[in-house]
Amino acid sequence: MNQFVVEPAGHGNHYDHLLIAVIILLTGVGLVTLYSASYAFGERFLGDGLYFFSRQLVFGVFGVLLFFLALRIPLRILRKCIVPLVLGTILMCLFTFVPGIGVMKNGAARWIHIGSNTYQPSELVKLVLPLYLAHLFTKKADKIRVFSSGILPPAMVTMLFFFLIYLQNNFSTALFIAINALFVFFFAGVPFRYFIGAGAILGPLSALLVFTKEHRLRRLISFIWPDWEPLGAGYQVHSSILTIESGGFLGKGIGQGVRKISSVPEIHSDFIFSSYAEETGFIGVLFFFLLLGIFMVRGYRVSLRTEDTFGRLLSFGLVTTISSQMLLNVAVVSGVLPATGIPLPFFSAGGSSLATTLLIAGLIVNVSGLSHEFEPSRNTGIFRGPEVNFG
């Protein structure tokens, strides 16, 4: 029986400082971009140009506190909280359907009241599900190829979260968390044949769910045929592309963008990248992808250099969650993929997203404090680590 040992988080001098610097830069650039993108909208429709920025700043401060909490918590303590976290997250997702607690906006029940603020539980799923999967795949490392005990339980929990979020009329996020979960399954060493089965189920199911809602179908048609409804379903994406193109090489300057005022609906939210591109231009877009690239390289480096199985799977799942969401959002805003409701981490207005993103980032940096002592494993391969039993 192997003994599972986790070094207490706290080796501050051993954290990945470049990763921390990138997280700080992304947060700062995101706040500046939101201030510029939302000021005119807030002043015109809410009578307060600082409405979105001030709320984001409050959640940003809270998120920084969560970042440092996640940075310091020992992973062994975190693992003891997995079951309460999963059950609590399921309960919060269910609360979105309870009158008086849940908040309905634009036909979607995605938020709950917490005091005078609202919170979107699906954001918490992006953290809790990778935590659960990392814990279970570590605990059942010797059963990773056994369907009934090693694969079925995490698959059932993943599908439970998928349907809870889908029922909130948030199909894009439900599909997003399911696909990211499959990446963790793969990294944990689940045999490839099970992914063929998962694709055979998830593909037709997703197609069916798209065709059950008119607005999803209209988005898909407008993506395939951009001229089908230029002033309807395709208007937002088309306007976003024109806004990005108007930035040119150097951009119009921070605060100098003009198309953000009325051309792109909700530009401070899911389409905030188009405002950033208009004001910073091609150079700013390169800088964005440079930061994202460093985040991904350093984050996945943490996963590959951490000998602790739980830490490796956790960091991989969390880095994938943030980086894939950023790539997906930019792809939608630039017209590469059909429109979804996925926000841009660090940038989009929404305290739930920013606070949760900083909490996730803190856990990734936490794991980096464990990886400095280890070289990439030579005897276990990339996707499988040492099997650890807990006694």
Side-chain angles (χ1 to χ4, degrees):
M1 180 179 296
N2 295 321
Q3 185 177 5
F4 178 79
V5 179
V6 176
E7 289 291 331
H11 303 291
N13 58 323
H14 293 132
Y15 294 138
D16 191 325
H17 294 126
L18 180 56
L19 183 60
I20 295 174
V22 168
I23 292 168
I24 293 172
L25 279 172
L26 284 170
T27 305
V29 173
L31 285 171
V32 172
T33 303
L34 178 63
Y35 170 79
S36 178
S38 66
Y39 189 90
F41 181 89
E43 188 175 54
R44 180 178 178 182
F45 294 101
L46 301 171
D48 181 7
L50 296 176
Y51 176 81
F52 294 101
F53 177 76
S54 58
R55 288 171 60 88
Q56 192 84 340
L57 195 59
V58 169
F59 276 97
V61 172
F62 180 60
V64 170
L65 296 177
L66 291 177
F67 175 89
F68 283 107
L69 174 64
L71 189 68
R72 304 293 295 183
I73 185 171
L75 296 186
R76 66 177 183 275
I77 301 299
L78 184 63
R79 293 192 66 182
K80 293 179 180 179
C81 303
I82 295 294
V83 173
L85 282 172
V86 170
L87 294 177
T89 304
I90 292 173
L91 192 61
M92 290 178 69
C93 288
L94 291 173
F95 278 157
T96 61
F97 307 109
V98 178
I101 300 178
V103 179
M104 182 73 71
K105 295 180 182 179
N106 300 322
R110 304 176 185 176
W111 302 266
I112 59 175
H113 281 295
I114 298 181
S116 59
N117 297 305
T118 59
Y119 184 76
Q120 192 169 350
S122 61
E123 291 294 327
L124 190 58
V125 177
K126 297 173 185 177
L127 164 64
V128 171
L129 185 56
L131 267 172
Y132 167 77
L133 294 177
H135 167 72
L136 199 65
F137 282 133
T138 301
K139 186 176 181 180
K140 295 180 177 291
D142 56 339
K143 300 178 180 179
I144 196 70
R145 296 178 177 273
V146 181
F147 178 77
S148 60
S149 57
I151 299 174
L152 185 59
M156 292 180 64
V157 172
T158 299
M159 292 309 295
L160 173 61
F161 279 122
F162 174 88
F163 282 110
L164 282 175
I165 297 173
Y166 169 76
L167 292 174
Q168 298 170 6
N169 197 16
N170 196 357
F171 171 69
S172 55
T173 299
L175 185 61
F176 173 80
I177 65 105
I179 292 176
N180 274 314
L182 289 178
F183 279 112
V184 179
F185 276 66
F186 179 71
F187 192 72
V190 171
F192 185 74
R193 63 181 180 273
Y194 292 112
F195 294 94
I196 299 176
I201 296 173
L202 196 59
L205 176 62
S206 299
L208 177 64
L209 296 179
V210 166
F211 284 98
T212 58
K213 290 290 185 178
E214 181 182 352
H215 71 277
R216 296 177 195 146
L217 185 58
R218 293 167 72 92
R219 286 178 177 178
L220 180 60
I221 295 175
S222 66
F223 170 73
I224 298 173
W225 186 13
D227 295 329
W228 172 67
E229 201 176 30
L231 298 179
Y235 175 76
Q236 193 173 28
V237 173
H238 180 68
S239 297
S240 174
I241 294 172
L242 292 178
T243 302
I244 293 173
E245 293 174 347
S246 70
F249 187 76
L250 296 176
K252 297 178 180 178
I254 301 299
Q256 302 302 311
V258 293
R259 293 187 59 86
K260 65 186 180 185
I261 298 176
S262 59
S263 297
V264 185
E266 302 291 324
I267 196 171
H268 58 281
S269 184
D270 300 342
F271 281 74
I272 194 170
F273 183 79
S274 60
S275 175
Y276 171 81
E278 179 188 18
E279 298 188 346
T280 63
F282 180 71
I283 294 297
V285 172
L286 283 181
F287 179 66
F288 172 87
F289 280 107
L290 174 64
L291 292 180
L292 176 56
I294 295 174
F295 175 83
M296 294 177 67
V297 169
R298 303 299 291 192
Y300 286 128
R301 180 177 180 271
V302 168
S303 301
L304 296 177
R305 292 178 64 88
T306 301
E307 209 167 76
D308 167 51
T309 306
F310 173 70
R312 181 171 62 254
L313 291 175
L314 176 61
S315 58
F316 175 84
L318 297 181
V319 171
T320 300
T321 294
I322 293 181
S323 56
S324 62
Q325 186 172 339
M326 296 180 78
L327 290 171
L328 175 61
N329 178 274
V330 173
V332 168
V333 170
S334 57
V336 177
L337 291 175
T340 67
I342 301 291
L344 181 60
F346 299 106
F347 284 72
S348 292
S352 303
S353 176
L354 180 60
T356 306
T357 298
L358 287 171
L359 176 58
I360 290 173
L363 286 175
I364 297 170
V365 177
N366 184 329
V367 178
S368 78
L370 302 175
S371 67
H372 69 281
E373 297 176 336
F374 306 113
E375 294 296 329
S377 178
R378 293 186 176 86
N379 60 349
T380 59
I382 294 178
F383 301 112
R384 293 297 307 275
E387 297 185 350
V388 181
N389 296 318
F390 297 87

